[in-house]
Amino acid sequence: MTYTYEYFKKSADYLKEKIDFVPEIAIVLGSCLGPFSNEIENPVVIDYADIPNFLVSTVSSHAGKLIFGTVCGKKVVCMSGRFHSYEGYDFEQLVIPVRVLKLLGVKTLILTNAAGAVNTDYRPGDVMLVSDHIKLTGASPLRGHNVEEFGPRFFDISRMYTPQLREIALKCAEGTGLTVHEGVYMFFTGPQFETPAEIRAARILGADAVGMSTVTEALTAAHCGMPLLAVSVMTNMAAGVLDRPLTSEEVDETAKTIEHRFSSYMKKIVAAI
């Protein structure tokens, strides 16, 4: 399918009818990080399934709702749940949410995710601000017809993870009780966890964490010229680091232990932007 500007505009126009303000910050909440949405004041909640031309989340831990409201005096929109290629979506479809956010007037995008720690100095519960990424698998979400209204055919991504936003996030980490790093995120398509050999290769290539999301959204944001902050929660040590199998239950349990501190941290970041 060829996606046109009007295709994305139909989604945005529907949403604009439901709200009476322009959101300045968008936050995408990853696996098990949904409780931050409880911090949104005067929420307007819209199911993804009700939005024309939007996608529907199939991951059980993702609420699948768009939430508009206020956090620390800032007008925000929060995606409680995101979309992945492993759900069966084509890479080209994964541009939809970020492009709709752009048309809503969002100026800054914050992406969060649950990730596996490759760097052996990291521990479950640590937080990593993404400074760069490695993507060696799958197509680009920008493959195919270029929609010039969003950005050029060829575009630079050498500073796509906005350094100024990372500086703000590092300062906001003080006093949170969280251990916060800066590092490189490596994208794998999933849904299976990575093999120990893949993790050894990722470490050699310079990755500090691995995950199955975020990069497609980040590339779309870069194409749109949106300032971007990406934040990974280390919910487990990656495959082969410890002598035990990986489970989704471990991811859920670690996310549960950090959710309140993480929500407070995200509020500080939103207030400081």
Side-chain angles (χ1 to χ4, degrees), residues 8-9 21 35 43 45 51 53 60 67 86 90 97 103 114 121 133-134 136 142 146 150 171 200 243:
F8 306 102
K9 187 175 182 295
F21 63 87
V45 182
I51 306 171
N53 294 343
S60 60
I67 307 170
Y86 66 70
D90 294 332
L103 291 178
D121 290 333
H133 77 242
I134 300 170
L136 301 179
L142 284 308
N146 184 56
F150 290 108
K171 290 178 182 177
R200 291 194 298 272
D243 187 19

Side-chain angles (χ1 to χ4, degrees), residues 165-227:
L165 290 176
R166 294 205 310 275
E167 290 177 13
I168 290 171
L170 283 172
K171 290 178 182 177
C172 288
E174 297 173 7
T176 62
L178 297 170
T179 300
V180 178
H181 313 272
E182 288 187 274
V184 176
Y185 179 93
M186 186 164 183
F187 172 76
F188 285 83
T189 54
Q192 73 282 349
F193 292 116
E194 301 75 27
T195 68
E198 287 171 336
I199 295 304
R200 291 194 298 272
R203 188 178 296 115
I204 291 169
L205 289 172
D208 297 291
V210 294
M212 306 170 192
S213 68
T214 299
V215 167
T216 53
E217 297 146 332
L219 288 169
T220 307
H223 182 249
C224 291
M226 296 174 72

Side-chain angles (χ1 to χ4, degrees), residues 113-186:
N113 63 60
V118 175
N119 189 322
T120 54
D121 290 333
Y122 291 8
R123 294 292 179 267
D126 285 4
V127 172
M128 185 186 82
L129 307 175
V130 179
S131 59
D132 205 346
H133 77 242
I134 300 170
K135 176 186 176 297
L136 301 179
T137 58
S140 168
L142 284 308
R143 186 181 73 163
H145 170 71
N146 184 56
V147 183
E148 294 289 340
E149 291 90 342
F150 290 108
R153 168 79 289 181
F154 303 105
F155 58 103
D156 177 61
I157 57 171
S158 57
R159 291 167 65 87
M160 63 187 295
Y161 299 98
T162 309
Q164 295 88 340
L165 290 176
R166 294 205 310 275
E167 290 177 13
I168 290 171
L170 283 172
K171 290 178 182 177
C172 288
E174 297 173 7
T176 62
L178 297 170
T179 300
V180 178
H181 313 272
E182 288 187 274
V184 176
Y185 179 93
M186 186 164 183

